[in-house]
Structures are given as C-alpha cells and as structure tokens.
Amino acid sequence: EVQLVETGGGLIQPGGSLRLSCAASGFTVSSNYMSWVRQAPGKGLEWVSVIYNGGSTYSADSVYYADSVKGRFTISRDKSKNTVYLQMNSLRAEDTAVYYCARDPWGSSAFDIWGQGTMVTVSS
Amino acid sequence: DIQMTQSPSSVSASVGDRVTITCRASQGIMNWLAWYQQKPGKAPKLLIYAASNLQSGVPSRFSGSGSGTDFTLTISSLQPEDFATYYCQQANSFPLAFGGGTTVEIK
C-alpha cells in the first residue's frame, strides 16, 4: 500500500527545535518530489518546503522553502530509510500547525498522496 | 511570488445543486493548477491536476477548467459526501501557494 506516515510532532517552547519524520511505503521517496505542507488550527493550507532530485543519479537534491521558514527549517531525506525529514529550529508560536508530508509523483507540484499529519504546538 | 485568490469563501447548497468555485492567480500560471478537497480532521485529497485532469478514482461530477490566471472547479450535482472545504493550488513555480479555501455547506 502506498502511504506516508508522519511522526515527531509535539509541544515545544518558543525558540526550541523539533524534527519531523515522514516514512514512505509502497514507493521510493528518492524518485519523487516530496513536500511538507502545514495547516494552522482553523486556517488554510500553507506550503512549507520541497525536496527533489536535480536530474541524474549523481546530482544533489534540490530544495526550496517558503519565506516564512527560510533559514529556520531544513528538509532532507534518507534513501536507506525511505524517509523525509523536516528539521525545525527557532520555532515560533506562528509555526503551530498540523504538518503534512505529501508526494508529487510527476514533478508537476500536485500532491497525490498525503500523510495523516502530525501536530506541532509551539507554546510556553 | 504568486498569490491565489478563491471565491466565494463559503457557499450554501443543496444535494443535487451545481456548485462552481473560482480561483484567480496573481500572474499567469498556464495550466499549472490543482484542486483539493478536505474534510474536517483529514488530509487533503487531490481532485484535479493540470487544471482539468481528473485524478484517478475521483467521481466525474467534479471537473476543472481554465488557464492563465482564471480557473474553475465545478461539482455538477452535489452529493452528501461533497460537503467539505476545497482549495486550489498553483503548481507553476516555487514557492507553491494555496488559495484561502471555499467551504461548501449544507443549505
């Protein structure tokens, strides 16, 4: 079965760090564009970051970030674990949200598979 | 950066009604647009990609149209399971962006 499972959310104080994981099954993350999308309580969807392979087997991954997280969040992936990560540093109250990982299989930036989401709450 | 504006923000409709949701991009995005449905407490579900392509398994009462800056999602005959929030998303360039959402409510 093709699925994504996010873990790592929780309650964290402002200024703290957290690492989210997104484990894939039924497909390989290295062959797809993988994004993180978040949703603050009662609000709409906000794209956070993407990681994808630049083209050849030997090319480095390409990454992009929303301005709201640039310099604080880092996306990465481990091919051996078939997992995508989101390292979140210098967390702020406005980062409080459900974080989803999502797959774009065509490089078209439309997401066909989503995880169930993991809640991150930034509060003192 | 490209901004996406959806209208209306909410719509009340009855089962069997035809519902149309519009989405406007702040600059041209060709046909790089996707539509999603989200129900409370659930992850979004892809309905339409590349503006008018129906995702596998999605009922044919859903359709999408448009190109450039103006796009439309149409539900031809609203069913009870269609009451949800719908989002458009530009897929033309990073940073990706979603519209603010349209909630389809029961009249």
Side-chain angles (χ1 to χ4, degrees):
Chain A
E1 181 187 6
V2 174
Q3 67 174 357
L4 295 166
V5 177
E6 303 98 333
T7 56
L11 175 64
I12 188 77
Q13 291 189 338
S17 297
L18 210 56
R19 189 179 80 158
L20 306 182
S21 299
C22 171
S25 56
F27 71 97
T28 56
V29 297
S30 58
S31 302
N32 291 267
Y33 287 51
M34 299 297 299
S35 276
W36 288 93
V37 175
R38 68 184 181 183
Q39 186 169 37
K43 303 297 184 182
L45 301 169
E46 180 188 14
W47 175 79
V48 173
S49 182
V50 66
I51 186 167
Y52 62 96
N53 184 268
S56 72
T57 303
Y58 304 102
S59 60
D61 284 338
S62 294
V63 298
Y64 287 92
Y65 300 94
D67 287 346
S68 58
V69 306
K70 201 174 295 182
R72 300 188 298 123
F73 290 12
T74 302
I75 190 171
S76 62
R77 58 186 174 186
D78 185 329
K79 296 176 184 179
S80 67
K81 296 182 178 178
N82 208 26
T83 298
V84 179
Y85 302 98
L86 187 67
Q87 177 67 43
M88 305 185 296
N89 299 331
S90 303
L91 283 161
R92 307 166 180 167
E94 53 266 36
D95 296 318
T96 294
V98 174
Y99 284 74
Y100 297 100
C101 66
R103 181 185 83 164
D104 165 18
W106 312 290
S108 68
S109 297
F111 306 119
D112 70 330
I113 302 294
W114 295 67
Q116 86 288 352
T118 186
M119 183 70 204
V120 173
T121 303
V122 184
S123 174
S124 55
Chain B
D1 296 357
I2 300 171
Q3 275 77 50
M4 307 301 293
T5 304
Q6 271 181 253
S7 61
S9 57
S10 66
V11 57
S12 294
S14 300
V15 172
D17 284 353
R18 181 182 184 90
V19 173
T20 299
I21 299 168
T22 63
C23 180
R24 175 163 289 177
S26 60
Q27 62 190 76
I29 58 171
M30 293 182 286
N31 70 335
W32 293 104
L33 186 99
W35 290 97
Y36 300 88
Q37 176 194 68
Q38 188 180 34
K39 296 182 178 179
K42 299 294 185 182
K45 172 187 175 183
L46 178 64
L47 299 175
I48 302 283
Y49 64 95
S52 60
N53 290 273
L54 196 67
Q55 172 67 353
S56 176
V58 174
S60 59
R61 62 181 180 273
F62 291 93
S63 64
S65 64
S67 66
T69 60
D70 294 310
F71 301 86
T72 299
L73 174 70
T74 299
I75 309 172
S76 60
S77 178
L78 200 64
Q79 298 302 299
E81 60 268 31
D82 300 337
F83 292 96
T85 300
Y86 294 83
Y87 294 93
C88 63
Q89 176 229 321
Q90 72 85 4
N92 180 73
S93 59
F94 299 118
L96 305 179
F98 291 87
T102 297
T103 300
V104 178
E105 302 169 322
I106 301 172
K107 182 183 283 186

